[in-house]
Amino acid sequence: MNATVAVIGRPNVGKSTLFNRLVGKRLALVDDTPGVTRDRRPGQARLGDLSFTIVDTAGLEDADNASLAGRMRKQTEEAIADADVVLFVIDARAGVTPLDAHFAEVARKIARPVILLANKAEGRAGEPGVYESYGLGLGDPVPFSAEHGEGLSELYDRLREIFDAMEAEQGEPEEAESDIVLDPELDEDEDEEDLTGTAERPLRIAVAGRPNAGKSTLINKFLGEDRLLTGPEAGITRDSISVDWEWRERHVKLFDTAGMRRKARVQEKLEKLSVADALRAIKFAEVVVVTLDAQIPFEKQDLQIIDLVVREGRGLVIAFNKWDTIEDRNEAWTEIKYKAERYLNQVRGVAMVPISATTGYGLDKLMEAVFDAYKMWNARVSTSRLNRWLEGVVAHHPPPAVAGRRIKLRYLTQAKTRPPHFVVFCSRPEQLPEAYLRYLVNGIRETFKLPGTPIRLSFRKGENPYANKAKKRK
């Protein structure tokens, strides 16, 4: 069975550290600042021979429902409602606080098993808090240290007992799933291309942009539920949260990312961690939807984010959000196209879609553009077509002569996809002017219908590598 375990507790008791310990990766941001986690974040956990989904949640706070803390609590309540087991975490070194007692009373009413973890119990400093936690009425606490991994065996015993009872209630267990976990939130040493090449895997889409551009609202609209925390406050999202979705029977993994401000403005350590997490999500995405505010498009930071996506070689679609607030849409779209022509030469023809994450306007067109971008990102052009095109280019617009000697372009082939990467064999590649390189890239993009796709073009010195083989066959 694939049980779901929710981790709850007040802020800064070590829930995200526990989450990272059980998933075996540093997926959730961890910092001494209270309230780092705001959205609920699922991950695939492993403890001995137990495999289950664990959900990290925001710290429980007693606050007004309309406030940010109140909306965060609602996200945690929804995680509890979806869970099979709840891990209630307290800070043993701080002892039982009034907030712990308040939410322990709520936890006692939950119609599912609750395990009390007295975290930070390593050493003698945590002993009084462990004994004090018996008074919460949640059964015997598990003395635990998420940071050092102490108490894992007792947690395993508790979970094993609960999971066995759940399986007994459900009857005969189904055939065990494979031990292979298809986790798209990759470690940096994993082979990205191997993991993205199979048809069974979901398309990984990262939604990026400046703070308050409507990224979380957009994903919630796709899902048809308030899955991610939203609000008028800028910078609500901190972790890169992934959610599964299906669009027209196609499996998709959506990654919400923290808003990225200009580097000079990012001072706090926590925001630096959030931006680093967003960059990682972009790096391992297949298509990135850069969300711009239609009222103030193409700010300097917007262009830097787009440039980052291009340099990472991801498929790219630009969404102009808040289109429902634009009065003269024809004039606004004309201005947007003019600026795109001016600022986006490196991805000429990139798909641009006006949308409203609030009303749902344009979302189907956005997803169609995403799948088109993914198709072009995987495009492969035959060597024969490439070289016929190259012959025409050399005949009509040959490379310039350098020091009285013309540079010869001898052969062109595609080395790889994701994104399309082409290799030109030529004489003196180091002397080819930058303008001619751009001319070749734009020519490939236009001729082989790859608008908006990042294109890599490398040059190698030498003859046609297949010329000698051809001579030998003769």
Side-chain angles (χ1 to χ4, degrees):
M1 64 177 294
N2 186 20
T4 299
V5 178
V7 183
I8 69 170
R10 63 180 177 81
N12 218 32
V13 294
K15 299 184 297 298
S16 294
T17 305
L18 169 63
F19 174 88
N20 287 341
R21 168 70 63 180
L22 293 178
V23 299
K25 302 176 185 179
R26 292 181 63 86
L27 293 183
L29 296 185
V30 176
D31 192 71
D32 292 335
T33 307
V36 172
T37 302
R38 289 176 169 174
D39 285 291
R40 60 189 193 269
R41 176 173 198 150
Q44 194 64 31
R46 210 29 135 17
L47 185 57
D49 60 348
L50 300 179
S51 179
F52 52 94
T53 299
I54 188 166
V55 182
D56 190 19
T57 66
L60 289 165
E61 296 188 66
D62 192 10
D64 182 79
N65 290 338
S67 67
L68 177 58
R71 300 198 306 274
M72 290 162 60
R73 188 184 65 244
K74 184 180 178 183
Q75 288 282 320
T76 299
E77 290 168 353
E78 291 177 0
I80 293 171
D82 293 338
D84 299 300
V85 184
V86 174
L87 302 182
F88 189 99
V89 185
I90 68 164
D91 183 341
R93 296 195 174 193
V96 175
T97 68
L99 200 56
D100 290 325
H102 171 71
F103 286 110
E105 186 176 345
V106 176
R108 288 198 297 272
K109 300 175 183 178
I110 296 173
R112 51 189 52 79
V114 178
I115 300 174
L116 175 61
L117 290 184
N119 192 31
K120 307 181 186 179
E122 66 274 16
R124 294 183 178 179
E127 288 182 2
V130 174
Y131 294 128
E132 192 178 351
S133 66
Y134 279 90
L136 291 174
L138 294 173
D140 293 348
V142 177
F144 201 82
S145 172
E147 187 171 353
H148 298 95
E150 297 177 11
L152 288 172
S153 60
E154 188 171 347
L155 176 59
Y156 169 86
D157 291 338
R158 296 283 192 92
L159 288 172
R160 166 56 73 188
E161 183 180 352
I162 293 170
F163 290 172
D164 287 347
M166 290 169 60
E167 284 190 351
E169 286 181 7
Q170 295 174 3
E172 290 296 320
E174 297 178 0
E175 185 178 347
E177 296 182 1
S178 168
D179 285 343
I180 300 174
V181 178
L182 304 181
D183 185 0
E185 298 177 286
L186 306 174
D187 283 334
E188 297 196 10
D189 58 352
E190 293 187 76
D191 186 338
E192 175 196 1
E193 189 158 2
D194 285 347
L195 289 176
T196 58
T198 58
E200 294 80 10
R201 293 185 178 279
L203 173 60
R204 296 201 303 273
I205 305 170
V207 181
R210 290 186 290 117
N212 224 22
K215 301 179 292 297
S216 300
T217 305
L218 172 60
I219 293 179
N220 282 344
K221 197 66 178 181
F222 277 141
L223 301 176
E225 61 174 302
D226 292 334
R227 172 62 181 82
L228 301 170
L229 191 64
T230 61
E233 305 90 346
I236 288 179
T237 303
R238 286 175 171 169
D239 287 279
S240 293
I241 305 296
S242 66
V243 290
D244 290 306
W245 182 49
E246 200 169 273
W247 182 77
R248 296 182 181 176
E249 300 183 350
R250 303 183 201 184
H251 191 27
V252 169
K253 194 96 168 172
L254 294 170
F255 287 80
D256 188 22
T257 64
M260 292 184 282
R261 299 192 297 164
R262 290 204 303 270
K263 191 173 182 179
R265 292 187 178 181
V266 179
Q267 300 295 334
E268 295 182 6
K269 174 188 172 186
L270 182 55
E271 187 173 359
K272 290 179 180 177
L273 291 172
S274 297
V275 171
D277 205 34
L279 294 176
R280 185 176 181 276
I282 289 172
K283 181 177 181 180
F284 289 113
E286 292 165 309
V287 178
V288 179
V289 176
V290 178
T291 309
L292 277 57
D293 187 332
Q295 296 179 332
I296 45 172
F298 296 117
E299 294 280 292
K300 183 177 179 181
Q301 183 63 7
D302 293 330
L303 298 176
Q304 289 179 341
I305 295 171
I306 291 170
D307 186 59
L308 167 69
V309 174
V310 174
R311 283 188 280 112
E312 288 292 344
R314 306 298 93 184
L316 172 66
V317 176
I318 301 176
F320 293 89
N321 193 24
K322 307 181 185 179
W323 196 245
D324 53 312
T325 65
I326 302 298
E327 293 184 6
D328 191 337
R329 297 183 179 182
N330 288 332
E331 181 182 347
W333 193 244
T334 300
E335 181 70 13
I336 283 172
K337 289 194 291 185
Y338 168 75
K339 289 184 176 179
E341 190 72 24
R342 179 181 176 187
Y343 296 133
L344 304 180
N345 281 325
Q346 76 275 37
V347 280
R348 186 173 294 174
V350 65
M352 303 187 300
V353 185
I355 66 165
S356 169
T358 304
T359 67
Y361 173 83
L363 298 197
D364 276 339
K365 287 186 178 179
L366 176 61
M367 287 306 301
E368 288 168 2
V370 165
F371 276 92
D372 285 344
Y374 177 69
K375 183 178 179 181
M376 288 184 287
W377 192 62
N378 285 277
R380 182 170 289 280
V381 184
S382 69
T383 300
S384 58
R385 291 180 64 203
L386 287 171
N387 283 284
R388 282 196 299 271
W389 172 80
L390 184 64
E391 288 174 6
V393 166
V394 172
H396 292 95
H397 188 182
V402 178
R405 296 171 57 198
R406 190 167 296 281
I407 298 172
K408 295 180 181 179
L409 304 184
R410 297 190 173 100
Y411 186 75
L412 175 62
T413 189
Q414 184 172 356
K416 59 178 291 188
T417 60
R418 309 165 67 87
H421 184 171
F422 302 92
V423 179
V424 180
F425 290 86
C426 63
S427 63
R428 296 177 293 149
E430 68 282 355
Q431 294 180 340
L432 267 175
E434 189 69 28
Y436 198 79
L437 305 187
R438 289 196 300 270
Y439 167 72
L440 291 176
V441 169
N442 288 331
I444 291 172
R445 189 190 308 283
E446 182 177 345
T447 303
F448 301 107
K449 296 180 174 54
L450 301 173
T453 305
I455 290 177
R456 301 286 186 260
L457 189 62
S458 301
F459 294 86
R460 294 183 187 174
K461 193 172 184 177
E463 302 288 338
N464 177 348
Y466 298 100
N468 291 334
K469 296 181 180 179
K471 289 177 182 178
K472 289 179 181 179
R473 284 197 297 268
K474 290 178 181 180

